[in-house]
Every structure is written in C-alpha cells, then in structure tokens.
Amino acid sequence: MWSILFLIILSAIAFLFTDELITNLKELFIKSGLFGIDLCKVNKSKVPEAIGVVSGCVFLVTSFLFIPIAFGYSLLDRGNFPHNEFAESLAALLSICCMLLLGFADDVLDLRWRYKLLLPTVASLPLLVVYYVNFNSTTFIVPIPLRQYLGISVNIGFLYYIYMGMLAVFCTNAINILAGINGLEVGQSVIIALSIIIFNIIELTGEQYKAHLFSLHIMIPYLATSLALLKHNWYPSKVFVGDTFCYVSGMTFAVVGILSHFSKTVLLFFIPQIINFVYSVPQLFHLIPCPRHRLPKYSAETDLLHASRTVIPKKDLNFLNKFIIQVFSLLHLVDKIEDRDQITLNNLTLINLFLIKLGPTREVTLTIALLLFQVVCTCIAFLIRYPMASYFYDVQSKT
C-alpha cells in the first residue's frame, strides 16, 4: 500500500499546484474572452469561465506521473507485466482526456444539446473497447426475488455495452443539469468522489481489491484537484468551472464504475442527480416549455434567490401538458399560479424545488442545503448497498 501513500503525497502537491495555477490564469482566461457574468450577484464584473480545464489537466498529469509508480515492480519484470491492467489504466485516462478536450470545445463553441449527448458516447469508446477485450462480461445478477422467474443471471449481450455508454452520458450530463449556483457543481462532485473513495476503502479487504485499488488510483488525484477548484468556486465564486469540469467529473465516475465493476453502486451515489433528472424530464424533452436558462431568479433588493418560472399559455396546452401539471400539483412538486389565459410554474429543477419549499434563500445557504441533501442521499446509498442489499443479492454480487 506504499503506492497509495505516494499517491496521496503527489495529490497534495497537485492540490497546491492547481490552486496556484487557477490564481495565475484567471486574468488570462478573461483576456481570451472566456468569461461570464454572475447573474445571481449585484456586481456584474467578469468571472473567468471554463476553469475546470485547469483542474482537469492537473488531474490527468498527476495520473500520468503516477503510472510508473503504480506499475513499478512490474516494469522490472517485463515477462510478468500486467498488460490487461495497464491497458485499463490507459483507456481510462484516454476517455477522461477525450472528455476534457470535448468539454472545453463545448465551453468555447457553446455546442447544442444534441452534441452534449453525443460527446460522452464518443469519449467512452476506448473504455468500451478495453472492457470488451479484457472482460466481455455481459451478464448481470438477477435479484433474489426474481430468480424463480429469470434464474440466477441473465446474459444481455450487446445491450450491456449500450448500458455502459448510457452510464457515461448520464453521469456527465446529470452533473451538468444540476448546476448554476456557486459551488454546486464542484461540491456535489467532491461528495460523490469522497463516497466512492470510502466505498473503495471498505472493499479493499474483499476479493475485488485490485479493482478498488485501481479506482483509488484515479479518484484520489481527482478529489485533490477538485478541492482546489472548489476553493475558488465557492461563494462568492471567483471562477466558473464550465461544462469541462462537469464532463470530466462524469466520465471519471463512469470510468471507475465500469472498469472496477461497481456501476450500480456509482448510480446509488447519484440519487440527487437522478431525482433532478426525473423531475426535469418534462422540460428537457419540451413537454413543458423550457427556457434556455433555468437559473433561480435573483433579487438585488433582498440579496435572495427565488424560484425561476415559465409561462404556459392555456391555448397551447394539450392533454399531456395538463396531465403532467396535474400530477406534479397533486404531489406538491410545483408552485402553480393560474389565471384565465395562462399557467405560471416554477422551472423543473431540484434547485427551484428547494426554493419553493424553503422560500427565498441566500445563494450560499441554498448551496449548503443541496450539498447536505447530497450527503444524506450518500448515507441512504450506503444503507442500500450494505444492510439492505443482502435481501436482493448474494454478498459476492452486490456491486
């Protein structure tokens, strides 16, 4: 385990280096035209955008530097070199590197949503190829209550690769759509990373310790560089992380989930993101009008955030619109204002849902509330993964 100790030291250096780089490069990003305006502040000064590319680059360089350490003894014994494990590491870093490049291209070119769905699929191809060559295991374990109907396991073949590709797409975009206030994108990613690291440490004593060691090799430098970014992105934010960080984060989580064989557990750590996605579906698929920005509405007079809203003319309503609004209203998931001509609803994001439940709130308070919710959901995930999982899976097949 000396390699982990060395990695922690290397990651601590990466934290300091990322912190210093962000401080020194902020003005360069603004001069290059990569900046935005914080819509939730009175001060409308320029804030450097896409700074996630800095933490992403340092994360990758740190991981590259660690490769000779991780495979140190094996490099001296080339006859027994673990080529499969080496290929996994390279494929993982290549997929993350592709996502870094494509995410930065999105920040610079402001790509359309259909491309945002395509980019993670393209970046995950090296990952899927290595999985096919090294494992090609497309069998999933059937939950115990269903085994009398389906058997112990089911081989779904090519559908498993579609599932893994969709996992990469979901992880990257799930973080990206639960965003828009200072510290939230990086904060939720740090909590997910910590959750995965805790899970890996717990599982190091099990049969799959090599897989969890591989995950730690990726997650520790990722966490260190993300913490440095969070220092600058926390309220009041001095930098914006951009889509680059969201894409790199999502791909990193997908990589360790797929190659370390605990993709179901990774999804458990995404409970708030899953809730946000399901809640947002009517607007994401334009079943209900979806404005370009669904950020909370800022009141300069009170320095508070209010839920942003969308207006639906009654003449444009169809049966599906009415049904969705009625169901959400019955479940108290929307704040609806109706008159003779139109219906006004809060935009369907978890951020706005918190605002209609908490009332007008300061931005930093809202961020903390959402991150506390992420922590609570992580605790629920560990409860499902350990005490409750034995009711559905054998001990060996819960990942």
Side-chain angles (χ1 to χ4, degrees), residues 54-128:
V54 177
S55 64
C57 286
V58 178
F59 160 49
L60 283 171
V61 169
T62 305
S63 299
F64 294 151
L65 292 174
F66 182 68
I67 288 176
I69 307 301
F71 295 92
Y73 289 124
S74 301
L75 291 172
L76 301 176
D77 185 9
R78 297 175 61 185
N80 295 314
F81 187 80
H83 294 281
N84 288 350
E85 295 175 18
F86 187 62
E88 287 177 30
S89 295
L90 293 184
L93 296 176
L94 179 58
S95 290
I96 296 169
C97 188
C98 287
M99 206 68 256
L100 178 74
L101 173 64
L102 296 173
F104 190 63
D106 184 19
D107 279 327
V108 174
L109 302 175
D110 193 20
L111 300 177
R112 295 184 177 182
W113 260 103
R114 58 176 175 264
Y115 300 120
K116 294 175 187 285
L117 298 178
L118 180 63
L119 296 183
T121 306
V122 173
S124 66
L125 288 179
L127 192 67
L128 300 182

Coordinates of all heavy atoms in Angstrom, one line a residue, residues 54-128:
V54 N -8.4 23.6 -16.1 CA -7.1 23.7 -15.3 C -7.0 22.5 -14.4 O -6.0 21.8 -14.4 CB -7.0 25.0 -14.6 CG1 -5.7 25.0 -13.7 CG2 -7.0 26.2 -15.5
S55 N -8.1 22.3 -13.6 CA -8.1 21.2 -12.6 C -8.1 19.9 -13.4 O -7.4 18.9 -12.9 CB -9.3 21.3 -11.7 OG -10.5 21.1 -12.4
G56 N -8.7 19.8 -14.5 CA -8.8 18.6 -15.3 C -7.4 18.2 -15.8 O -7.0 17.1 -15.8
C57 N -6.7 19.2 -16.3 CA -5.3 19.0 -16.8 C -4.3 18.5 -15.7 O -3.6 17.6 -15.9 CB -4.8 20.2 -17.5 SG -5.5 20.6 -19.1
V58 N -4.4 19.2 -14.6 CA -3.5 18.8 -13.5 C -3.9 17.4 -13.0 O -3.0 16.6 -12.7 CB -3.6 19.8 -12.3 CG1 -2.7 19.4 -11.2 CG2 -3.2 21.2 -12.8
F59 N -5.2 17.1 -13.0 CA -5.6 15.7 -12.6 C -5.0 14.7 -13.5 O -4.5 13.6 -13.1 CB -7.1 15.7 -12.6 CG -7.7 14.3 -12.7 CD1 -7.3 13.3 -11.8 CD2 -8.7 14.1 -13.6 CE1 -7.9 12.0 -11.9 CE2 -9.3 12.8 -13.7 CZ -8.9 11.8 -12.9
L60 N -5.1 14.9 -14.8 CA -4.5 14.0 -15.8 C -3.0 13.9 -15.7 O -2.5 12.7 -15.7 CB -5.0 14.4 -17.2 CG -6.4 14.1 -17.6 CD1 -6.7 14.7 -18.9 CD2 -6.6 12.6 -17.7
V61 N -2.3 15.0 -15.6 CA -0.9 15.0 -15.5 C -0.4 14.2 -14.2 O 0.5 13.4 -14.3 CB -0.3 16.4 -15.5 CG1 1.2 16.4 -15.1 CG2 -0.5 17.1 -16.8
T62 N -1.1 14.4 -13.1 CA -0.8 13.7 -11.9 C -1.0 12.2 -12.1 O -0.2 11.4 -11.6 CB -1.8 14.2 -10.7 OG1 -1.6 15.6 -10.6 CG2 -1.4 13.5 -9.4
S63 N -2.1 11.8 -12.8 CA -2.4 10.4 -13.0 C -1.3 9.8 -14.0 O -0.9 8.6 -13.8 CB -3.7 10.2 -13.7 OG -4.8 10.7 -12.8
F64 N -0.8 10.6 -14.9 CA 0.2 10.1 -15.8 C 1.5 9.9 -15.0 O 2.2 8.9 -15.2 CB 0.5 11.1 -16.9 CG -0.6 11.3 -17.9 CD1 -0.9 12.5 -18.6 CD2 -1.5 10.2 -18.2 CE1 -1.9 12.6 -19.5 CE2 -2.6 10.3 -19.0 CZ -2.8 11.5 -19.7
L65 N 1.9 10.8 -14.2 CA 3.1 10.7 -13.4 C 3.0 9.5 -12.4 O 4.1 9.0 -12.1 CB 3.3 12.0 -12.5 CG 3.6 13.3 -13.4 CD1 3.7 14.5 -12.4 CD2 5.0 13.1 -14.1
F66 N 1.8 9.1 -12.0 CA 1.7 8.0 -11.1 C 1.8 6.6 -11.8 O 2.1 5.6 -11.1 CB 0.4 8.1 -10.4 CG 0.2 7.0 -9.3 CD1 0.9 7.0 -8.2 CD2 -0.8 6.0 -9.5 CE1 0.8 6.0 -7.2 CE2 -1.0 5.0 -8.6 CZ -0.2 5.0 -7.4
I67 N 1.7 6.6 -13.1 CA 1.7 5.3 -13.8 C 3.0 4.5 -13.5 O 2.9 3.3 -13.2 CB 1.5 5.5 -15.3 CG1 0.1 5.9 -15.6 CG2 1.9 4.2 -16.1 CD1 -0.2 6.2 -17.0
P68 N 4.2 5.1 -13.6 CA 5.4 4.3 -13.3 C 5.5 3.8 -11.8 O 6.1 2.8 -11.6 CB 6.6 5.3 -13.5 CG 6.0 6.3 -14.4 CD 4.5 6.5 -14.0
I69 N 4.8 4.5 -10.9 CA 4.8 4.1 -9.5 C 3.8 2.9 -9.4 O 4.1 1.9 -8.7 CB 4.3 5.3 -8.6 CG1 5.2 6.5 -8.9 CG2 4.4 4.8 -7.2 CD1 6.7 6.2 -8.6
A70 N 2.6 3.1 -10.0 CA 1.6 2.0 -9.9 C 2.1 0.7 -10.4 O 1.8 -0.4 -9.9 CB 0.3 2.4 -10.5
F71 N 2.9 0.7 -11.5 CA 3.4 -0.5 -12.2 C 4.9 -0.6 -11.9 O 5.6 -1.3 -12.7 CB 3.1 -0.4 -13.7 CG 1.6 -0.5 -14.0 CD1 0.9 0.7 -14.1 CD2 1.0 -1.7 -14.1 CE1 -0.4 0.7 -14.4 CE2 -0.4 -1.7 -14.4 CZ -1.1 -0.5 -14.5
G72 N 5.4 -0.1 -10.9 CA 6.9 0.0 -10.6 C 7.6 -1.4 -10.7 O 8.5 -1.6 -11.5
Y73 N 7.1 -2.3 -9.8 CA 7.8 -3.6 -9.8 C 7.6 -4.4 -11.1 O 8.5 -5.1 -11.5 CB 7.2 -4.5 -8.6 CG 7.6 -4.0 -7.2 CD1 6.7 -3.6 -6.3 CD2 9.0 -3.8 -6.9 CE1 7.1 -3.2 -5.0 CE2 9.4 -3.4 -5.7 CZ 8.4 -3.0 -4.7 OH 8.8 -2.6 -3.5
S74 N 6.4 -4.2 -11.7 CA 6.2 -5.0 -12.9 C 7.0 -4.5 -14.1 O 7.3 -5.2 -15.0 CB 4.7 -4.8 -13.3 OG 3.8 -5.3 -12.3
L75 N 7.4 -3.2 -14.0 CA 8.3 -2.7 -15.1 C 9.7 -3.4 -15.1 O 10.4 -3.5 -16.1 CB 8.5 -1.2 -14.9 CG 7.3 -0.3 -15.2 CD1 7.5 1.1 -14.8 CD2 6.9 -0.4 -16.7
L76 N 10.1 -3.8 -13.9 CA 11.4 -4.5 -13.8 C 11.3 -6.0 -14.2 O 12.3 -6.6 -14.5 CB 11.9 -4.4 -12.3 CG 12.1 -3.0 -11.8 CD1 12.5 -3.0 -10.3 CD2 13.1 -2.3 -12.7
D77 N 10.1 -6.5 -14.2 CA 9.8 -7.9 -14.6 C 8.9 -7.9 -15.8 O 7.7 -8.2 -15.7 CB 9.2 -8.7 -13.4 CG 9.1 -10.1 -13.7 OD1 9.6 -10.6 -14.7 OD2 8.4 -10.8 -12.9
R78 N 9.4 -7.6 -16.9 CA 8.6 -7.5 -18.1 C 7.9 -8.8 -18.6 O 6.9 -8.7 -19.2 CB 9.5 -6.9 -19.3 CG 10.1 -5.6 -19.0 CD 11.0 -5.1 -20.1 NE 10.4 -5.0 -21.4 CZ 11.0 -4.7 -22.5 NH1 12.3 -4.5 -22.4 NH2 10.4 -4.6 -23.6
G79 N 8.5 -9.9 -18.2 CA 7.9 -11.2 -18.5 C 6.5 -11.4 -17.9 O 5.6 -12.1 -18.4
N80 N 6.3 -10.8 -16.7 CA 5.1 -10.9 -16.0 C 4.3 -9.6 -15.9 O 3.5 -9.4 -15.0 CB 5.3 -11.4 -14.5 CG 5.9 -12.8 -14.6 OD1 5.4 -13.7 -15.3 ND2 7.0 -13.0 -13.8
F81 N 4.6 -8.7 -16.9 CA 3.9 -7.4 -16.8 C 2.4 -7.5 -17.0 O 2.0 -8.2 -17.9 CB 4.5 -6.5 -17.9 CG 4.0 -5.1 -17.9 CD1 4.6 -4.2 -17.0 CD2 3.0 -4.6 -18.7 CE1 4.2 -2.9 -16.9 CE2 2.5 -3.3 -18.6 CZ 3.1 -2.4 -17.8
P82 N 1.6 -6.9 -16.2 CA 0.1 -7.0 -16.3 C -0.4 -6.1 -17.4 O -0.9 -5.0 -17.2 CB -0.3 -6.5 -14.9 CG 0.7 -5.5 -14.4 CD 2.0 -6.0 -15.0
H83 N -0.3 -6.6 -18.6 CA -0.8 -5.8 -19.8 C -2.2 -5.4 -19.7 O -2.6 -4.3 -20.1 CB -0.5 -6.6 -21.1 CG 1.0 -6.8 -21.3 ND1 1.8 -5.8 -21.9 CD2 1.8 -7.9 -21.1 CE1 3.0 -6.3 -22.0 NE2 3.1 -7.5 -21.5
N84 N -3.1 -6.3 -19.2 CA -4.5 -6.0 -19.1 C -4.8 -4.8 -18.2 O -5.6 -3.9 -18.6 CB -5.3 -7.2 -18.7 CG -5.4 -8.3 -19.7 OD1 -5.0 -8.1 -20.9 ND2 -5.8 -9.5 -19.3
E85 N -4.1 -4.8 -17.0 CA -4.3 -3.7 -16.1 C -3.8 -2.4 -16.6 O -4.4 -1.4 -16.5 CB -3.7 -4.1 -14.8 CG -4.3 -5.3 -14.0 CD -3.5 -5.6 -12.8 OE1 -2.8 -4.8 -12.3 OE2 -3.7 -6.8 -12.3
F86 N -2.6 -2.5 -17.3 CA -2.0 -1.3 -17.9 C -3.0 -0.8 -19.0 O -3.1 0.5 -19.1 CB -0.7 -1.7 -18.5 CG 0.1 -0.5 -19.1 CD1 0.5 0.5 -18.2 CD2 0.4 -0.4 -20.4 CE1 1.2 1.6 -18.6 CE2 1.2 0.7 -20.9 CZ 1.6 1.7 -20.0
A87 N -3.6 -1.6 -19.8 CA -4.5 -1.2 -20.9 C -5.7 -0.5 -20.2 O -6.2 0.5 -20.8 CB -4.9 -2.4 -21.7
E88 N -6.2 -1.0 -19.1 CA -7.3 -0.4 -18.4 C -7.0 1.0 -18.0 O -7.8 1.9 -18.2 CB -7.7 -1.3 -17.2 CG -8.4 -2.5 -17.5 CD -8.7 -3.3 -16.2 OE1 -8.9 -2.7 -15.2 OE2 -8.7 -4.6 -16.3
S89 N -5.8 1.2 -17.4 CA -5.4 2.5 -16.9 C -5.3 3.5 -18.1 O -5.8 4.6 -18.0 CB -4.0 2.4 -16.2 OG -4.1 1.7 -15.0
L90 N -4.7 3.0 -19.2 CA -4.5 3.9 -20.3 C -5.9 4.3 -21.0 O -6.1 5.4 -21.3 CB -3.6 3.3 -21.4 CG -2.1 3.1 -21.0 CD1 -1.3 2.6 -22.2 CD2 -1.5 4.4 -20.6
A91 N -6.8 3.3 -21.1 CA -8.1 3.5 -21.6 C -8.9 4.5 -20.8 O -9.6 5.4 -21.3 CB -8.8 2.2 -21.8
A92 N -8.8 4.3 -19.4 CA -9.5 5.2 -18.5 C -9.0 6.6 -18.7 O -9.8 7.6 -18.8 CB -9.3 4.7 -17.1
L93 N -7.7 6.8 -18.7 CA -7.2 8.2 -18.8 C -7.4 8.7 -20.2 O -7.6 10.0 -20.4 CB -5.7 8.2 -18.6 CG -5.3 7.8 -17.1 CD1 -3.8 7.7 -17.0 CD2 -5.9 8.8 -16.1
L94 N -7.4 7.9 -21.3 CA -7.7 8.4 -22.6 C -9.2 8.9 -22.7 O -9.5 9.9 -23.3 CB -7.5 7.3 -23.6 CG -7.8 7.6 -25.1 CD1 -7.0 8.8 -25.6 CD2 -7.6 6.4 -26.0
S95 N -10.1 8.1 -22.1 CA -11.5 8.5 -22.1 C -11.7 9.9 -21.4 O -12.4 10.8 -21.8 CB -12.4 7.5 -21.5 OG -12.5 6.3 -22.3
I96 N -11.1 10.0 -20.2 CA -11.1 11.2 -19.4 C -10.5 12.4 -20.2 O -11.0 13.5 -20.3 CB -10.5 11.1 -18.1 CG1 -11.2 10.0 -17.2 CG2 -10.4 12.4 -17.3 CD1 -10.5 9.6 -16.0
C97 N -9.4 12.1 -20.9 CA -8.7 13.1 -21.7 C -9.6 13.6 -22.8 O -9.7 14.8 -23.1 CB -7.4 12.6 -22.2 SG -6.3 13.8 -23.0
C98 N -10.2 12.6 -23.5 CA -11.1 13.0 -24.6 C -12.3 13.9 -24.1 O -12.6 14.8 -24.8 CB -11.7 11.7 -25.2 SG -10.6 10.8 -26.2
M99 N -12.8 13.5 -22.9 CA -13.9 14.3 -22.4 C -13.4 15.7 -22.0 O -14.2 16.7 -22.1 CB -14.4 13.6 -21.1 CG -15.9 13.9 -20.8 SD -17.0 13.2 -22.1 CE -17.4 14.7 -23.0
L100 N -12.2 15.8 -21.5 CA -11.6 17.1 -21.2 C -11.6 18.0 -22.5 O -12.0 19.2 -22.5 CB -10.2 17.0 -20.6 CG -9.5 18.3 -20.3 CD1 -10.1 18.9 -19.0 CD2 -8.0 18.0 -20.1
L101 N -11.1 17.4 -23.6 CA -11.0 18.1 -24.8 C -12.3 18.5 -25.4 O -12.6 19.7 -25.7 CB -10.2 17.3 -25.8 CG -10.2 17.8 -27.3 CD1 -9.4 19.1 -27.3 CD2 -9.5 16.8 -28.2
L102 N -13.3 17.6 -25.4 CA -14.6 17.8 -25.9 C -15.4 18.8 -25.0 O -16.1 19.6 -25.5 CB -15.3 16.5 -26.0 CG -14.7 15.5 -27.0 CD1 -15.5 14.2 -27.0 CD2 -14.8 16.1 -28.5
G103 N -15.2 18.7 -23.7 CA -15.9 19.6 -22.8 C -15.4 21.0 -23.0 O -16.2 22.0 -23.0
F104 N -14.1 21.2 -23.2 CA -13.5 22.5 -23.4 C -14.0 23.1 -24.7 O -14.3 24.3 -24.8 CB -12.0 22.5 -23.3 CG -11.3 23.9 -23.3 CD1 -11.6 24.7 -22.3 CD2 -10.5 24.3 -24.4 CE1 -11.0 26.0 -22.3 CE2 -9.9 25.5 -24.4 CZ -10.2 26.4 -23.3
A105 N -14.1 22.2 -25.7 CA -14.7 22.6 -27.0 C -16.1 23.1 -26.8 O -16.5 24.1 -27.5 CB -14.6 21.5 -28.0
D106 N -16.9 22.5 -26.0 CA -18.2 22.9 -25.7 C -18.3 24.3 -25.0 O -19.1 25.1 -25.4 CB -18.9 21.8 -24.8 CG -20.4 22.2 -24.6 OD1 -21.0 23.0 -25.3 OD2 -21.0 21.6 -23.6
D107 N -17.4 24.5 -24.1 CA -17.3 25.8 -23.4 C -16.9 26.9 -24.4 O -17.5 28.0 -24.3 CB -16.3 25.8 -22.3 CG -16.8 25.1 -21.0 OD1 -18.0 25.3 -20.7 OD2 -16.1 24.5 -20.3
V108 N -16.1 26.6 -25.3 CA -15.6 27.7 -26.3 C -16.6 27.9 -27.4 O -16.9 29.0 -27.8 CB -14.2 27.3 -26.9 CG1 -13.8 28.2 -28.0 CG2 -13.2 27.2 -25.8
L109 N -17.2 26.8 -27.9 CA -18.1 26.9 -29.0 C -19.6 26.9 -28.7 O -20.4 27.1 -29.6 CB -17.8 25.7 -30.0 CG -16.4 25.5 -30.5 CD1 -16.2 24.3 -31.3 CD2 -16.0 26.8 -31.3
D110 N -19.9 26.6 -27.4 CA -21.3 26.6 -27.0 C -22.2 25.6 -27.8 O -23.1 26.1 -28.5 CB -21.9 28.0 -27.0 CG -23.2 28.0 -26.2 OD1 -23.5 27.1 -25.4 OD2 -24.0 29.0 -26.4
L111 N -21.8 24.3 -27.8 CA -22.5 23.4 -28.7 C -23.9 23.1 -28.2 O -24.3 23.4 -27.1 CB -21.7 22.0 -28.6 CG -20.3 22.1 -29.0 CD1 -19.6 20.7 -28.8 CD2 -20.1 22.5 -30.4
R112 N -24.7 22.6 -29.2 CA -26.1 22.4 -28.9 C -26.3 21.1 -28.1 O -25.4 20.3 -28.0 CB -26.9 22.2 -30.2 CG -26.9 23.5 -31.1 CD -27.8 23.3 -32.3 NE -27.9 24.6 -33.1 CZ -28.6 24.7 -34.2 NH1 -29.3 23.7 -34.6 NH2 -28.6 25.9 -34.8
W113 N -27.5 21.0 -27.5 CA -27.7 19.9 -26.6 C -27.5 18.5 -27.2 O -27.1 17.6 -26.5 CB -29.1 20.0 -26.0 CG -29.1 20.6 -24.6 CD1 -29.5 21.9 -24.3 CD2 -28.7 20.0 -23.4 NE1 -29.3 22.1 -22.9 CE2 -28.8 20.9 -22.4 CE3 -28.2 18.7 -23.1 CZ2 -28.5 20.7 -21.1 CZ3 -27.9 18.4 -21.8 CH2 -28.0 19.4 -20.8
R114 N -27.9 18.3 -28.5 CA -27.7 17.0 -29.1 C -26.3 16.6 -29.1 O -26.0 15.4 -29.0 CB -28.4 17.0 -30.5 CG -27.8 18.0 -31.5 CD -28.5 17.7 -32.8 NE -28.1 18.7 -33.8 CZ -28.8 19.8 -34.1 NH1 -29.9 20.0 -33.4 NH2 -28.4 20.7 -35.0
Y115 N -25.4 17.5 -29.2 CA -24.0 17.2 -29.2 C -23.5 16.9 -27.8 O -22.6 16.1 -27.6 CB -23.1 18.4 -29.8 CG -23.5 18.7 -31.2 CD1 -24.0 20.0 -31.6 CD2 -23.4 17.7 -32.2 CE1 -24.3 20.3 -32.9 CE2 -23.8 18.0 -33.6 CZ -24.2 19.3 -33.9 OH -24.6 19.6 -35.2
K116 N -24.1 17.5 -26.8 CA -23.7 17.2 -25.4 C -24.1 15.7 -25.1 O -23.4 15.1 -24.2 CB -24.5 18.1 -24.5 CG -24.1 19.6 -24.6 CD -25.0 20.4 -23.7 CE -24.8 21.9 -23.9 NZ -23.6 22.4 -23.3
L117 N -25.0 15.2 -25.8 CA -25.4 13.7 -25.6 C -24.4 12.8 -26.4 O -24.1 11.7 -25.9 CB -26.8 13.5 -26.0 CG -27.9 14.2 -25.2 CD1 -29.3 13.8 -25.8 CD2 -27.9 13.8 -23.8
L118 N -23.9 13.3 -27.5 CA -23.0 12.6 -28.3 C -21.6 12.5 -27.8 O -20.9 11.5 -27.9 CB -23.0 13.1 -29.8 CG -22.2 12.4 -30.8 CD1 -22.6 11.0 -31.0 CD2 -22.2 13.2 -32.1
L119 N -21.1 13.6 -27.2 CA -19.7 13.7 -26.8 C -19.3 12.6 -25.8 O -18.3 12.0 -26.0 CB -19.4 15.1 -26.2 CG -19.6 16.3 -27.2 CD1 -19.2 17.6 -26.5 CD2 -18.7 16.1 -28.4
P120 N -20.1 12.4 -24.8 CA -19.7 11.3 -23.8 C -19.6 9.9 -24.5 O -18.8 9.1 -24.1 CB -20.7 11.4 -22.7 CG -21.3 12.8 -22.8 CD -21.3 13.1 -24.3
T121 N -20.5 9.7 -25.4 CA -20.6 8.4 -26.1 C -19.3 8.2 -26.9 O -18.7 7.1 -26.8 CB -21.8 8.4 -27.1 OG1 -23.0 8.7 -26.4 CG2 -21.9 7.0 -27.7
V122 N -18.8 9.3 -27.6 CA -17.6 9.2 -28.3 C -16.4 9.0 -27.4 O -15.5 8.1 -27.6 CB -17.4 10.4 -29.2 CG1 -16.0 10.4 -29.8 CG2 -18.5 10.6 -30.2
A123 N -16.4 9.7 -26.3 CA -15.2 9.6 -25.3 C -15.2 8.3 -24.6 O -14.1 7.9 -24.2 CB -15.3 10.8 -24.3
S124 N -16.3 7.6 -24.5 CA -16.3 6.3 -23.8 C -15.9 5.1 -24.7 O -15.7 4.0 -24.2 CB -17.8 6.1 -23.2 OG -18.7 5.9 -24.3
L125 N -15.7 5.4 -26.0 CA -15.4 4.3 -26.9 C -14.1 3.5 -26.5 O -14.0 2.3 -26.5 CB -15.3 4.8 -28.3 CG -16.6 5.1 -29.0 CD1 -16.4 5.6 -30.4 CD2 -17.5 3.9 -29.0
P126 N -13.0 4.2 -26.1 CA -11.8 3.5 -25.7 C -12.1 2.6 -24.4 O -11.5 1.5 -24.3 CB -10.8 4.6 -25.3 CG -11.2 5.8 -26.1 CD -12.7 5.7 -26.1
L127 N -12.9 3.1 -23.6 CA -13.3 2.4 -22.4 C -14.0 1.1 -22.7 O -13.7 0.0 -22.2 CB -14.1 3.3 -21.5 CG -14.5 2.9 -20.1 CD1 -13.2 2.9 -19.2 CD2 -15.5 3.8 -19.5
L128 N -15.0 1.2 -23.6 CA -15.8 0.0 -24.0 C -14.9 -1.0 -24.8 O -15.2 -2.2 -24.6 CB -17.0 0.5 -24.9 CG -17.9 1.5 -24.2 CD1 -19.1 1.8 -25.1 CD2 -18.5 0.9 -22.9

